Amino acid sequence: MGTYKFNWLSPDFYSEYVRNGDYPEVRVLYKYRSWNNPLHRKLLTDCVVYLASPKSFEDTYDCHVPEDFPTLIELPKFFYQKSFEHLPQSATKYDRFLFVLKRCKESPLANREKRDTLSQEMHQKYCQRFGVLSLTADPYNDKMWEKYADHHKGICIGYDKEILEKYVGGAGPVVYTNNLPHVRYFVDDVMVQHCKNTFFKEMRWRFEKEYRMHKLWNIDVSENERNIHIPEEAIVEIILGSQLPTENEDAIRNIAVKKYPKAKILNETNRN
């Protein structure tokens, strides 16, 4: 993130950062997978992409950045401001005083235990309805081959970004930072909260060079519903890991011939 100064008050702060950042035009995005995992094989055998729930993420701050709530000292002022949204313009100062008193007494914000419980419940509901497709623009990243493609024994699938976006949603680069932004509940609007949670990760993950797509459902979704079917022409490259066993390579090539005849079959060690 460098010395870039975010305008956190702008709902377009993330878009402004991407426009001003050094992000080349990307036409193909990649997904590293292990061929030994039956669920990973479905990306080729069934032509699906899986939108993972944040609850499955290794990074506990991913899609769950720190939260800031009004302090007990700030609560009366906070609820007084809220009274103008909930009470008619004709409300007297005494009406507003009663509104503030009632809210300070009953609101979960006034009780840390209740507030934290409510926050956890909200995050659990969010995880049940939100899905992320993590991708990268770098198909020859040794650390990614090690971590996500079975130590070079797996594959890396290249997707046409434009086609994929039609079925999943727009892709955006992740911002890596030493200081995660805080979601300021009741200050940040919904879009600001969304961008802070979705597109910011700690610097230790910068090796991933991640682009991510995401989807929010209106209801809780099952594991199967997180599999999004995409057209076969969306797969434009299949890169074989340098340690991929011969029998697995043969199986992959046979699938590619039948389902993805236009896709390039490349090798991790031969990038041409």
Side-chain angles (χ1 to χ4, degrees):
M1 193 163 61
T3 58
Y4 185 86
K5 300 296 183 182
F6 284 95
N7 177 14
W8 298 117
L9 298 178
S10 169
D12 297 321
F13 75 92
Y14 173 74
S15 299
E16 292 168 359
Y17 171 80
V18 173
R19 285 196 299 268
N20 294 324
D22 184 21
Y23 291 104
E25 182 180 356
V26 176
R27 296 184 178 179
V28 180
L29 290 171
Y30 298 88
K31 185 72 174 177
Y32 291 84
R33 296 284 77 177
S34 167
W35 194 250
N36 289 324
N37 186 323
L39 295 178
H40 292 191
R41 290 201 295 266
K42 292 178 70 174
L43 272 67
L44 285 185
T45 59
D46 296 6
C47 200
V48 297
V49 290
Y50 177 76
L51 275 61
S53 166
K55 69 180 180 182
S56 68
F57 292 165
E58 180 180 355
D59 179 6
T60 56
Y61 286 115
D62 194 349
C63 291
H64 196 197
V65 299
E67 302 166 328
D68 287 344
F69 296 94
T71 65
L72 290 177
I73 295 176
E74 296 170 331
L75 274 182
K77 180 180 179 181
F78 170 75
F79 285 128
Y80 180 75
Q81 294 171 339
K82 285 294 179 181
S83 73
F84 289 91
E85 299 177 15
H86 295 272
L87 297 180
Q89 289 185 338
S90 60
T92 65
K93 288 185 177 180
Y94 185 68
D95 292 332
R96 299 192 188 283
F97 168 76
L98 292 178
F99 176 89
V100 171
L101 193 64
K102 187 176 190 300
R103 290 301 178 92
C104 283
K105 182 179 180 179
E106 298 178 354
S107 171
L109 292 175
N111 183 305
R112 183 172 183 175
E113 184 176 342
K114 290 183 179 179
R115 184 199 69 192
D116 290 347
T117 298
L118 179 62
S119 176
Q120 291 172 7
E121 291 174 352
M122 291 173 60
H123 183 65
Q124 289 173 0
K125 178 63 66 176
Y126 166 77
C127 288
Q128 291 167 351
R129 300 185 177 193
F130 191 66
V132 174
L133 176 60
S134 296
L135 304 159
T136 180
D138 183 2
Y140 297 107
N141 184 324
D142 283 342
K143 288 185 177 180
M144 296 289 279
W145 279 102
E146 287 285 335
K147 186 172 180 63
Y148 298 114
D150 197 13
H151 304 279
H152 303 267
K153 293 192 283 289
I155 59 174
C156 183
I157 303 172
Y159 296 95
D160 183 296
K161 175 176 175 285
E162 185 175 344
I163 295 176
L164 198 57
E165 285 180 328
K166 293 178 181 178
Y167 291 83
V168 182
V174 167
V175 181
Y176 299 101
T177 175
N178 289 318
N179 299 294
L180 290 172
H182 287 214
V183 166
R184 300 173 300 169
Y185 276 107
F186 310 109
V187 176
D188 294 340
D189 66 22
V190 173
M191 183 55 67
V192 170
Q193 291 182 31
H194 169 72
C195 288
K196 285 181 176 180
N197 266 318
T198 306
F199 293 108
F200 285 79
K201 294 180 68 173
E202 293 178 311
M203 192 66 75
R204 63 193 176 103
W205 299 102
R206 63 181 174 179
F207 73 90
E208 296 178 335
K209 303 176 184 177
E210 184 180 353
Y211 280 73
R212 55 178 34 176
M213 297 180 179
H214 57 276
K215 180 179 178 67
L216 180 65
W217 287 269
N218 294 325
I219 58 174
D220 297 353
V221 292
S222 66
E223 287 295 299
N224 187 56
E225 289 171 315
R226 291 180 175 276
N227 287 305
I228 307 298
H229 288 268
I230 59 175
E232 294 175 355
E233 58 266 28
I235 294 180
V236 294
E237 293 181 21
I238 302 172
I239 305 175
L240 310 175
S242 59
Q243 303 300 317
L244 181 69
T246 301
E247 61 270 23
N248 291 348
E249 178 178 343
D250 292 341
I252 292 167
R253 288 185 179 276
N254 287 335
I255 294 171
V257 168
K258 296 176 182 178
K259 295 179 68 72
Y260 314 106
K262 295 184 179 180
K264 296 179 181 178
I265 309 297
L266 306 171
N267 193 286
E268 179 193 352
T269 56
N270 181 7
R271 306 184 181 189
N272 296 319

